[in-house]
Amino acid sequence: MKLSNFAFLLASLCAAAGAHAAPTASTPPAKPPPATAAPAATEHAALPPPSSAAQKLYTAARADILQVRVLLKNGRTQSSVGSGFLIGTGDLVVSNYHVVSQFALDPDTYVGEWVDTSGQRGNVELLAVDVLHDLAVLRVNRHGTGFFKMPESLAPLTQGQYLYSMGNPLDLGFAISEGSYNGVVTRSFYDQLMFTGPINAGMSGGPSVTASGDVAGVNVSKRLDGELVSFLVPARYAQQLLAKVAQQGKPPKDFKPLVTAQLLAHQEVMLARLLDTPLSLKAMGPYRVPVRESDQMRCWGRSNVKSDKPYMLDNTSCAMESAIFISGALQTGQVSMRHEFLRSSELGALRFSELASASFKNESFGSYKSVHLTGPHCTEQFVKNQTLPLRAVLCVRAYRKFTGLYDFALLAASTDEPLMSLQSRIDARGVSYANGMRVTRTFLDALSRAPSTTGTRKP
């Protein structure tokens, strides 16, 4: 079957993927990156005692630091906690989107509450969210003292200068941690600042300031595989969100359409950046496979060449190092790709075929237990691109709460050799249907076999 016909048949998945189905589990990336950043609510570590400079800052700022709690409406039981800070002398609070995501997406079940350093508390009103930069602006029924300001001209930062992060770590009480600024993270899709200091669970959404009290960023996450490697959202993104709040009228009654619009905008930029130049081709035996290594995507490989198995397996994987947090059970806006080259000189053609088929069948496209996505709607065809006959499976899942977003997974295996098999997979999470078809078609077209050199000789 021609590849163009294959793409035509796959277009019928659009209607099926949007239909209601039993809940399914989110399709994982083919291979996770070896190290990840997580919201600053994951690991316990003791904070070092603050310096005298930190103590002075905390004393001056403590009245404007808040704990932001998410409570179940029924019974007011605490579900999660984070931090926030009052801007100027007004009643607006900056925090992280992931701190307030539960009541942003499910206000019928969850409600927000603020608690200050003196123990006073009150309800919060969500005014705006920036999912892509993990920020939120809230309104509370109290005012700031004016310590935290967000001026039009933000203070420049110099690598190595001290920063001071504030919040309520582990729900133990308000605290300040001291560290240093170490530049902009280059492997994050959106700019983040690297803070060499501890940010613990509960400090998400708290401020990080310079020694003079200027807001440098907002606490957001930490590396789980490192020591004192933490991340901040640059203050300019909070500044931009506050400017939008100043221009808007009433806040949205339903934040899901707003989140959807932001995710659709992200996937346009993500795939434009991924496909603005042809994918690089990497040799795996006689095959050429597409990869992309950039500031946002990293590739790695491994082989079982030293094992005692009767076959050899080489693996190459590329994945974006960041994803967009939607909820505790859903992260999206990410692309990954994987290639596995299997060959054997010991197995016969029948046994090798059984081995390659078992590997193909073991691929997971998601189950039927997720409240976030429909079940995988899949189609399988034998196709041929310009140089290579392939067995291909395309699976599509629709987002239940974010209309127009899909997860795409394409798995393809070569069928031209009895004792060699190339299996390639691409996952595009949180993309439009048109862009999902575009990226999977580009990936499938790029798989190839190197031209044969039989019958030629060097001059």
Side-chain angles (χ1 to χ4, degrees):
M1 180 176 291
K2 296 290 186 181
L3 190 58
S4 58
N5 293 336
F6 174 61
F8 174 77
L9 288 174
L10 297 186
S12 64
L13 286 171
C14 184
H20 289 290
T24 54
S26 176
T27 304
K31 296 288 182 182
T36 59
T42 49
E43 191 175 315
H44 297 197
L47 293 177
S51 65
S52 58
Q55 290 173 355
K56 289 178 182 177
L57 277 172
Y58 179 73
T59 299
R62 62 183 310 223
D64 293 349
I65 308 168
L66 303 179
Q67 184 182 57
V68 179
R69 297 179 175 178
V70 178
L71 310 174
L72 286 168
K73 271 190 174 180
N74 185 13
R76 306 283 290 187
T77 307
Q78 183 170 291
S79 177
S80 65
V81 296
S83 298
F85 57 103
L86 284 151
I87 300 298
T89 57
D91 57 359
L92 300 185
V93 173
V94 170
S95 186
N96 286 144
Y97 164 77
H98 79 256
V99 170
V100 304
S101 61
Q102 288 173 292
F103 63 83
L105 299 180
D106 194 1
D108 293 333
T109 305
Y110 299 98
V111 67
E113 178 185 68
W114 62 267
V115 181
D116 65 16
T117 53
S118 65
Q120 297 182 61
R121 66 187 62 212
N123 293 329
V124 304
E125 179 187 10
L126 182 59
L127 300 183
V129 299
D130 179 352
V131 174
L132 307 186
H133 299 103
D134 202 352
L135 290 172
V137 173
L138 318 170
R139 179 183 286 133
V140 298
N141 55 341
R142 61 153 290 185
H143 290 76
T145 67
F147 182 84
F148 296 111
K149 299 179 179 65
M150 203 68 70
E152 290 187 12
S153 179
L154 297 170
L157 299 175
T158 304
Q159 187 159 347
Q161 78 177 84
Y162 280 114
L163 293 179
Y164 304 86
S165 287
M166 306 179 203
N168 194 315
L170 311 180
D171 198 17
L172 296 175
F174 291 89
I176 184 168
S177 64
E178 187 172 1
S180 58
Y181 164 71
N182 272 293
V184 178
V185 179
T186 58
R187 288 196 181 272
S188 176
F189 196 87
Y190 299 103
D191 287 352
Q192 288 188 337
L193 309 182
M194 184 164 68
F195 172 62
T196 308
I199 294 180
N200 285 279
M203 295 181 71
S204 291
S208 184
V209 302
T210 65
S212 58
D214 295 317
V215 177
V218 182
N219 306 332
V220 68
S221 62
K222 65 184 294 183
R223 283 290 289 243
L224 299 180
D225 62 332
E227 295 293 333
L228 301 183
V229 180
S230 304
F231 303 100
L232 313 172
V233 180
R236 72 176 184 277
Y237 294 129
Q239 183 186 58
Q240 292 167 8
L241 190 58
L242 286 165
K244 289 181 180 179
V245 169
Q247 306 254 334
Q248 76 178 15
K250 292 183 179 180
K253 291 183 178 180
D254 183 359
F255 278 88
K256 288 189 286 293
L258 177 61
V259 171
T260 301
Q262 293 179 6
L263 293 175
L264 284 168
H266 166 75
Q267 60 92 33
E268 286 287 353
V269 175
M270 174 181 70
L271 291 183
R273 196 174 297 179
L274 178 72
L275 301 176
D276 62 350
T277 58
L279 296 172
S280 302
L281 295 180
K282 177 180 176 62
M284 297 190 79
Y287 303 107
R288 299 294 179 268
V289 299
V291 296
R292 170 71 80 221
E293 191 157 20
S294 65
D295 286 346
Q296 288 77 44
M297 182 171 281
R298 185 166 59 147
C299 300
W300 63 97
R302 64 174 183 270
S303 176
N304 76 335
V305 69
K306 294 183 179 180
S307 72
D308 58 357
K309 297 184 181 298
Y311 61 85
M312 290 181 288
L313 178 65
D314 296 333
N315 180 293
T316 296
S317 301
C318 300
M320 291 179 61
E321 296 225 306
S322 61
I324 305 299
F325 180 97
I326 305 300
S327 69
L330 181 63
Q331 295 192 36
T332 190
Q334 190 179 46
V335 174
S336 63
M337 54 187 75
R338 186 186 78 226
H339 307 280
E340 293 183 347
F341 176 48
L342 181 68
R343 71 271 191 204
S344 176
S345 59
E346 300 180 37
L347 299 174
L350 180 59
R351 292 176 63 197
F352 184 84
S353 176
E354 291 176 345
L355 176 68
S357 294
S359 176
F360 193 89
K361 291 178 181 178
N362 282 339
E363 291 287 332
S364 172
F365 297 104
S367 64
Y368 290 84
K369 298 180 180 179
S370 173
V371 297
H372 301 290
L373 296 105
T374 63
H377 296 270
C378 302
T379 188
E380 180 175 359
Q381 299 286 345
F382 286 88
V383 300
K384 188 177 188 303
N385 62 18
Q386 295 297 318
T387 64
L388 194 60
L390 297 159
R391 176 187 181 188
V393 175
L394 178 67
C395 295
V396 184
R397 308 175 70 193
Y399 284 64
R400 296 180 185 277
K401 297 181 180 180
F402 307 107
T403 304
L405 287 171
Y406 301 85
D407 281 358
F408 273 70
L410 172 69
L411 175 66
S414 62
T415 60
D416 62 328
E417 290 286 349
L419 294 175
M420 287 191 297
S421 175
L422 172 70
Q423 293 187 11
S424 298
R425 175 167 174 163
I426 185 169
D427 286 86
R429 301 166 60 197
V431 297
S432 68
Y433 193 85
N435 275 335
M437 292 296 292
R438 177 187 171 208
V439 71
T440 51
R441 175 63 181 267
T442 300
F443 184 80
L444 198 62
D445 279 342
L447 295 169
S448 63
R449 178 155 183 157
S452 174
T453 57
T454 303
T456 63
R457 64 180 182 178
K458 294 181 180 180

